[in-house]
Amino acid sequence: MYGIAIDVGTSGMRMHAVDLNNKQIISTAITVRHPVPGANVMDHLTFCIEVEQDLANRLLIDTANKLTKLLDIDTSKVERVAVCGNPIQLSIFQNIETRDLAFAGETARRVRGVEVQKRDARVIDAIDLGLNLPEKCQLYVPPAIKHEIGADALAMMYKTGLLDMKENALVTDYGTNAEMALKVGDNIITGSASAGPAIEGQHIKSGMLASPGAISDINGKDEWRCTVLNDDILPMPGDTVSPDTGTIIDEGDMHGRALGITGTGVIAAIAEGLDSGLIKMPRVTTFDKKLHLQDGVVLEEHDVVEAAKTFGAMRAGHFTLLEHAGLMFEELDIMYMSGASGTYVDALKARRVGLLPPTCDQIYQFGNTSLAMALDLIRDPELLDELQVLAQNIRASHVMFASDEVFEKVFIQELAFWTEGMPMEAYNMMLEVSDLQPLPPITKEAKVTRTVMRDIPDLGYKGLKVLRDIGLYIRGSFEGCTGCEKCVQECPENAIRIRQGGVHGFELEVASDLCSGTACMRCQRACPQKCFKFHELQKGLLKS
């Protein structure tokens, strides 16, 4: 008999197949994008509210069914499934109300007639969600701590050991949604920075998620040695190149195999670029304003600025939690990093660009804690009751960064620092005006402990399968459409195609995993006939 562990992340889905007899992982399958249109969790939430949650649910479930086929097991023998993720992703997956996650405060929800949903631990029949699994297969869903503090945050605290720490400790999942928790004594303060997709290599011209072929690290000053993930998602030596021109100085084991750059590689390139003078924010100082890596992969000024905004959101989030706890930077002892980016990134480079507080003495890098906790549930279903008790007993308060004054004040300075070149002296002066503590410099090296070599430590004896093309399309036909393809040309993600047919002569098909959703809408604005209605398109038929 088999079990399947699932992590529904903001940037994609990951799965393990497990042999229930010996508890060993058999195989692993991942997507490289999320099937619901949008670049971050708020885009996915907006899609549910403004477009159609049923459609978002169908996209997720259809993707899960496609991914299950890649696990190379007899699915008729799957006995149980466990799924973990943030509150929005788990709500979409289960198709339960999401509007309570969109509005901060009881008053905002009450005036809209929105009730807070219970997100306790539950066991349901997998077939009821549309999963192509046996009738008696049960799905285990771990609990949220509060409706804003989800199962992924619980996994992050549980798997890193944060809850047992006596020292002041901060943990962050370095992903698009950037969940973070600060533990001071018995109290925990949480937040979510919505850092954006650049942290995972998305919305970067040559960007990609952490998967085979991704440049994951850069080392050097005048000559840059690239590190590239191999087929087992392990970092291997790539080429040494001149960042000014891309000229190969020395070929590495991964020569010719780089497909793009992941978020950790972007972080490393910016850290090295700042140190070498190739970057003077917000400018790249090379002759063509590009940083050249191996195999034609480049970073442009736009990429650097996009990533820097992520750095600013992360640092503002950490700053905000410390201020709410009344804790000085110098009083923070330990930093935990989780998620793919938290695993592969050079922690000291990440600290140089502000992704970690500058004063912590110890840094621990963990893997994908959400998938790891789902795996624990597959191996021991009784853990679900333990997690429910744990979630109920955690004394946690959640800071909504979107409406928090401290976050707003710090993030404004971060934007000025990264996008306008504000000096650090001016940055700290503005914080002092706002009665906030200054940002101290890095004065000592931290001890870094990498607990795993990749974000998914064990791929199983059958290895990893990557679903690069999810192959799900949403479509529609609009009265007045002439088939001019202006929307196709305007789409920055090449997500749209048009063919003759449909109710009104032409039918548009949008690759759901490529589309940036309601945060973009360039297709609709580009339509000369003004007949393209994005929201109506989303309500069209789904096909693969």
Side-chain angles (χ1 to χ4, degrees):
M1 302 303 291
Y2 303 118
I4 297 176
I6 306 175
D7 166 42
V8 184
T10 303
S11 57
M13 190 179 296
R14 294 158 179 83
M15 280 188 184
H16 281 317
V18 181
D19 186 327
L20 295 183
N21 293 319
N22 59 22
K23 312 299 184 185
Q24 298 300 305
I25 295 172
I26 299 169
S27 57
T28 302
I30 66 173
T31 68
V32 295
R33 290 180 293 273
H34 196 286
V36 176
N40 57 56
V41 71
M42 296 312 297
D43 290 346
H44 298 157
L45 181 58
T46 302
F47 185 93
C48 290
I49 294 171
E50 295 186 359
V51 183
E52 185 179 329
Q53 180 163 327
D54 285 347
L55 181 55
N57 167 256
R58 289 167 62 196
L59 288 167
L60 263 188
I61 296 301
D62 282 2
T63 299
N65 286 329
K66 282 174 172 279
L67 209 55
T68 300
K69 293 179 181 179
L70 296 183
L71 292 174
D72 193 21
I73 58 173
D74 182 352
T75 55
S76 69
K77 296 181 179 179
V78 175
E79 187 174 288
R80 56 179 174 264
V81 179
V83 60
C84 192
N86 67 46
I88 293 172
Q89 302 301 340
L90 284 187
S91 296
I92 297 173
F93 192 85
Q94 299 171 83
N95 207 15
I96 63 176
E97 175 70 85
T98 56
R99 290 183 301 158
D100 61 318
L101 300 169
F103 305 109
E106 293 183 10
T107 302
R109 290 189 289 268
R110 185 174 62 252
V111 298
R112 293 171 174 83
V114 176
E115 295 184 3
V116 173
Q117 300 296 305
K118 288 186 66 176
R119 292 182 171 86
D120 292 335
R122 62 191 302 227
V123 181
I124 55 179
D125 291 333
I127 196 172
D128 289 345
L129 294 185
L131 294 172
N132 295 333
L133 295 170
E135 287 187 12
K136 294 183 179 180
C137 177
Q138 292 188 312
L139 175 72
Y140 291 75
V141 184
I145 299 171
K146 290 185 176 180
H147 91 280
E148 316 100 325
I149 311 173
D152 59 333
L154 177 62
M156 182 176 67
M157 299 179 208
Y158 175 74
K159 294 300 294 183
T160 59
L162 175 78
L163 299 174
D164 298 322
M165 295 302 301
K166 301 300 181 185
E167 298 91 342
N168 297 327
L170 176 66
V171 59
T172 299
D173 184 342
Y174 285 85
T176 302
N177 203 36
E179 294 89 357
M180 53 187 69
L182 174 66
K183 186 173 186 291
V184 180
D186 292 329
N187 295 316
I188 295 174
I189 305 175
T190 67
S192 177
S194 293
I199 191 69
E200 294 187 330
Q202 297 180 306
H203 281 200
I204 301 294
K205 184 174 182 180
S206 298
M208 60 187 291
L209 293 180
S211 55
I215 296 174
S216 63
D217 196 11
I218 302 290
N219 287 285
K221 187 174 182 180
D222 298 323
E223 300 174 355
W224 285 8
R225 166 69 77 177
C226 300
T227 298
V228 184
L229 300 182
N230 68 8
D231 290 341
D232 292 322
I233 329 183
L234 289 172
M236 300 295 289
D239 294 344
T240 299
V241 300
S242 167
D244 297 272
T245 63
T247 301
I248 298 175
I249 297 166
D250 181 51
E251 292 185 3
D253 295 343
M254 296 295 289
H255 172 69
R257 297 177 62 184
L259 303 176
I261 184 168
T262 192
T264 61
V266 174
I267 292 165
I270 294 176
E272 299 290 37
L274 288 169
D275 283 356
S276 65
L278 291 172
I279 299 175
K280 294 185 182 297
M281 293 301 301
R283 303 298 177 199
V284 174
T285 62
T286 59
F287 76 98
D288 61 354
K289 302 186 184 305
K290 297 178 182 179
L291 298 172
H292 296 262
L293 310 177
Q294 77 171 74
D295 299 326
V297 177
V298 298
L299 283 178
E300 300 182 357
E301 279 189 353
H302 169 76
D303 300 326
V304 172
V305 172
E306 280 298 305
K309 292 176 184 176
T310 292
F311 304 163
M314 287 278 199
R315 185 154 64 187
H318 292 158
F319 217 122
T320 301
L321 294 186
L322 289 169
E323 287 289 324
H324 277 270
L327 201 69
M328 300 296 290
F329 275 97
E330 291 79 5
E331 296 176 285
L332 182 64
D333 303 308
I334 300 174
M335 181 73 200
Y336 293 101
M337 307 173 70
S338 68
S341 294
T343 303
Y344 293 115
V345 73
D346 182 317
L348 298 181
K349 293 191 188 86
R351 189 166 70 151
R352 276 154 48 192
V353 298
L355 287 171
L356 285 79
T359 54
C360 48
D361 295 320
Q362 300 179 67
I363 301 170
Y364 293 91
Q365 293 179 271
F366 284 79
N368 184 324
T369 53
S370 182
L371 182 60
M373 194 167 80
L375 180 61
D376 287 349
L377 282 168
I378 289 298
R379 289 169 169 162
D380 179 15
E382 293 182 2
L383 174 63
L384 191 67
D385 293 332
E386 180 184 332
L387 291 173
Q388 180 63 56
V389 173
L390 183 63
Q392 291 171 341
N393 291 335
I394 291 176
R395 294 167 56 188
S397 58
H398 187 72
V399 180
M400 294 292 292
F401 290 163
S403 57
D404 185 79
E405 289 187 6
V406 174
F407 184 86
E408 179 183 358
K409 290 175 180 177
V410 177
F411 189 53
I412 287 172
Q413 306 315 316
E414 288 290 332
L415 289 177
F417 178 81
W418 290 110
T419 67
E420 299 174 12
M422 170 189 272
M424 183 53 68
E425 294 79 6
Y427 176 104
N428 277 328
M429 182 182 71
M430 295 304 295
L431 292 181
E432 184 179 3
V433 170
S434 298
D435 198 27
L436 298 174
Q437 64 176 304
L439 179 68
I442 297 173
T443 57
K444 57 184 177 182
E445 286 292 309
K447 179 183 178 182
V448 179
T449 302
R450 189 186 293 270
T451 64
V452 293
M453 289 303 297
R454 57 188 171 209
D455 67 314
I456 306 176
D458 184 358
L459 300 177
Y461 65 86
K462 289 189 177 181
L464 174 72
K465 296 287 180 63
V466 181
L467 182 61
R468 296 192 180 277
D469 181 7
I470 292 177
L472 296 176
Y473 293 84
I474 39 185
R475 62 184 183 179
S477 182
F478 302 113
E479 184 176 2
C481 176
T482 63
C484 69
E485 297 194 353
K486 291 288 186 182
C487 54
V488 176
Q489 298 163 15
E490 186 66 20
C491 178
E493 306 298 335
N494 296 317
I496 305 174
R497 63 191 187 192
I498 296 179
R499 64 177 181 84
Q500 288 189 328
V503 177
H504 299 292
F506 292 94
E507 187 169 67
L508 291 84
E509 297 180 335
V510 179
S512 68
D513 59 325
L514 296 178
C515 178
S516 294
T518 55
C520 177
M521 304 284 280
R522 286 169 61 173
C523 50
Q524 179 170 304
R525 292 194 297 271
C527 179
Q529 305 301 321
K530 304 304 178 187
C531 64
F532 192 122
K533 304 298 181 185
F534 183 84
H535 291 74
E536 293 180 15
L537 171 70
Q538 307 304 318
K539 293 177 182 176
L541 296 175
L542 175 72
K543 74 172 191 176
S544 60

